[in-house]
Amino acid sequence: MSLRHAILVLLQDQEASGYDLAREFANSIGLVWNATHQQIYLELGKLNDQHMVKFRHIPQDGKPDKKLYRITEEGRDELIRWLRKPAAPPRIRDAFMVKIAGGALSDSSSILRELDDQADLRRERLHTFEALARKLDEQGREKDLFTYLTLRRGILDQQAWLHWADEVKTALNKREILSTSA
């Protein structure tokens, strides 16, 4: 997947500014694809140059004009082409998992500290995803079914990670007890 396709997905139903898109990355598509403001604006420029999006200027008092982007027919055709193509398996790049794999060379207390920090972030993310899912439920999830299904995947991922973190804590605490009693 590329950033261009994530942006086209967000623009498929409504026009949005670069700022709006960045906010949507934080609240929805960011579950599965991360992008900075700078990356989003750079990609919007490329999509505009390739006639996949158009924008209109909205004058603002005391601020620069806002650009509202919308998908074009060329952009919609590209998005449909991409949606019909099988997705490549995701690449995993998780530095903390590499630390766990090399954990025999580290001390359990430093691993547990980092595990707690990671778990705090995961719990925060889980609460955010659950709140968004509740909001969609209240509004009628059928209206945004695919966003809801994406949120459910995010919720399950966070829950599974937290369950795994509990297993790691148990195993490392048991290992510590065995090593001190030996």
Side-chain angles (χ1 to χ4, degrees):
M1 182 170 123
S2 68
L3 177 56
R4 76 180 21 236
H5 297 110
I7 290 171
L8 292 172
V9 163
L10 290 173
L11 291 174
Q12 69 181 326
D13 293 325
Q14 62 188 5
E15 63 183 1
S17 68
Y19 176 80
D20 295 332
L21 290 170
R23 191 175 56 227
E24 281 301 310
F25 266 88
N27 293 328
S28 65
I29 210 88
L31 296 169
V32 294
W33 196 266
N34 293 316
T36 65
H37 283 74
Q38 183 178 4
Q39 291 169 321
I40 292 167
Y41 284 104
L42 185 64
E43 193 62 37
L44 282 169
K46 291 177 188 176
L47 287 167
N48 184 63
D49 291 345
Q50 295 167 355
H51 308 288
M52 291 192 199
V53 299
K54 288 183 185 179
F55 65 87
R56 63 185 175 101
H57 285 278
I58 304 294
Q60 300 188 107
D61 290 333
K63 298 179 192 175
D65 289 354
K66 183 193 295 192
K67 290 180 180 178
L68 285 180
Y69 292 87
R70 69 180 184 281
I71 194 169
T72 63
E73 281 304 313
E74 291 93 335
R76 191 169 303 284
D77 291 346
E78 167 60 18
L79 182 56
I80 290 168
R81 184 199 62 73
W82 177 79
L83 287 168
R84 290 180 177 162
K85 197 170 117 183
R91 285 196 280 161
I92 300 170
R93 295 178 59 165
D94 189 330
F96 183 66
M97 293 304 297
V98 175
K99 287 183 176 189
I100 294 293
L105 298 175
S106 184
D107 62 294
S108 294
S109 61
S110 65
I111 291 172
L112 287 169
R113 273 192 308 277
E114 190 166 352
L115 181 74
D116 285 340
D117 291 343
Q118 294 277 334
D120 288 343
L121 293 171
R122 297 290 183 142
R123 274 189 287 279
E124 185 178 314
R125 191 178 295 162
L126 175 61
H127 293 308
T128 299
F129 294 169
E130 288 172 335
L132 290 167
R134 277 191 303 276
K135 185 177 176 184
L136 285 176
D137 270 336
E138 291 165 8
Q139 297 170 349
R141 79 171 81 144
E142 292 303 315
K143 181 178 156 239
D144 287 318
L145 179 63
F146 295 102
T147 300
Y148 179 80
L149 294 172
T150 305
L151 275 169
R152 285 295 304 149
R153 169 63 192 275
I155 289 168
L156 293 171
D157 282 347
Q158 301 315 306
Q159 290 171 336
W161 196 97
L162 290 165
H163 179 77
W164 170 82
D166 289 340
E167 290 181 21
V168 171
K169 279 184 182 182
T170 300
L172 292 181
N173 287 331
K174 183 178 177 181
R175 179 177 178 241
E176 203 60 32
I177 290 168
L178 291 174
S179 70
T180 56
S181 65

